[in-house]
Amino acid sequence: MCEKAPSQEDVMKFASKLGSDLDSMTKNFESRVPEPLPGYQNSERLSYANVVKNQVINMDTELEQNFLARAREEYIKAKKQLPGEIVDQFSDQIRRMFLHPQQGPFYVSRLIYTEKGFSLLKMLLSYIETLRENLTRIPRDIESAREQAIERLGDAKSAFVSKDKKKNIYIEAKINEYWLEADVERTEQMIEFYEDL
């Protein structure tokens, strides 16, 4: 049996096969989240008069209840369901590598963890660190998105022509703000997911 140690590329390929790499996990978490306010451009309920002029509909409440709450639920579901799927795939892949004549038990053990070089455990810890760094950056992005939405509301209120277009631009700005809020939720759930894994 070969005593070859796994390279960074080997570890990355293995994480990708498992679907435990950062990009795959983000896609998995996001895939279950519904679109915020589908069809708002032509919605009678979300008309210029209701959203901007009379402000009968509060966009913060609307997006919090119809989008962010559902996104939060989906992220929690993903955090609970995905580890089981990954553990099954992990067991299968490890068994194959363990029995492989050019890899074997030493290679598998080093793939999972080694003091020197690259390992799956070190990669997962780096994902957690990256997510924590992202979590510190997102509040600034939310604040700037919130300020932009307030500006867009001001533009929509002062519009004489193309009021619906300005209303839609305002709603898009609010949706962007709430996608960032959802990013906070997703990132927190992903950190817990990787810590539990």
Side-chain angles (χ1 to χ4, degrees):
M1 291 202 194
C2 185
E3 301 222 3
K4 179 184 141 195
S7 66
Q8 181 178 5
E9 186 178 335
D10 294 337
V11 175
M12 291 173 73
K13 280 182 184 176
F14 184 71
S16 183
K17 269 187 187 176
L18 291 177
S20 66
D21 61 304
L22 211 47
D23 292 337
S24 298
M25 274 303 114
T26 302
K27 286 177 187 169
N28 271 330
F29 271 74
E30 289 294 335
S31 69
R32 300 165 179 189
V33 177
E35 225 14 72
L37 305 176
Y40 69 87
Q41 296 92 337
N42 302 317
S43 171
E44 188 70 34
R45 201 168 139 290
L46 297 176
S47 68
Y48 178 84
N50 289 342
V51 173
V52 178
K53 187 177 178 186
N54 301 327
Q55 291 187 335
V56 174
I57 295 177
N58 182 327
M59 290 309 299
D60 290 315
T61 305
E62 191 74 18
L63 285 162
E64 173 69 41
Q65 292 174 352
N66 294 326
F67 171 66
L68 194 57
R70 288 170 58 197
R72 191 176 293 126
E73 289 171 15
E74 293 301 325
Y75 295 147
I76 290 170
K77 277 187 211 173
K79 180 186 79 172
K80 290 179 181 177
Q81 291 171 354
L82 289 173
E85 294 172 16
I86 287 179
V87 167
D88 290 343
Q89 292 173 2
F90 178 79
S91 298
D92 185 46
Q93 292 293 327
I94 289 295
R95 189 177 313 106
R96 285 183 190 172
M97 293 172 118
F98 195 84
L99 298 173
H100 194 279
Q102 291 179 333
Q103 293 171 336
F106 295 112
Y107 180 85
V108 169
S109 126
R110 289 181 187 128
L111 180 73
I112 296 170
Y113 178 73
T114 184
E115 280 291 323
K116 301 172 186 167
F118 299 99
S119 68
L120 187 61
L121 183 60
K122 286 180 182 177
M123 185 170 282
L124 294 177
L125 291 172
S126 76
Y127 292 161
I128 292 170
E129 195 58 38
T130 300
L131 290 167
R132 285 196 174 124
E133 288 172 13
N134 290 347
L135 203 53
T136 60
R137 176 190 47 78
I138 294 173
R140 289 188 301 269
D141 294 346
I142 291 172
E143 191 56 41
S144 69
R146 188 171 291 134
E147 288 170 6
Q148 185 179 24
I150 290 168
E151 285 177 27
R152 298 297 177 254
L153 178 61
D155 292 347
K157 283 181 179 179
S158 64
F160 290 115
V161 291
S162 62
K163 292 179 179 184
D164 281 334
K165 183 178 177 186
K166 298 277 186 177
K167 179 249 335 174
N168 289 340
I169 292 171
Y170 163 64
I171 292 175
E172 286 172 19
K174 289 305 281 184
I175 287 172
N176 289 339
E177 175 188 339
Y178 275 85
W179 266 116
L180 290 169
E181 295 276 359
D183 282 352
V184 170
E185 297 288 336
R186 186 198 72 233
T187 303
E188 288 171 350
Q189 295 301 324
M190 285 178 69
I191 289 170
E192 288 179 30
F193 165 81
Y194 279 121
E195 288 173 342
D196 292 345
L197 198 60

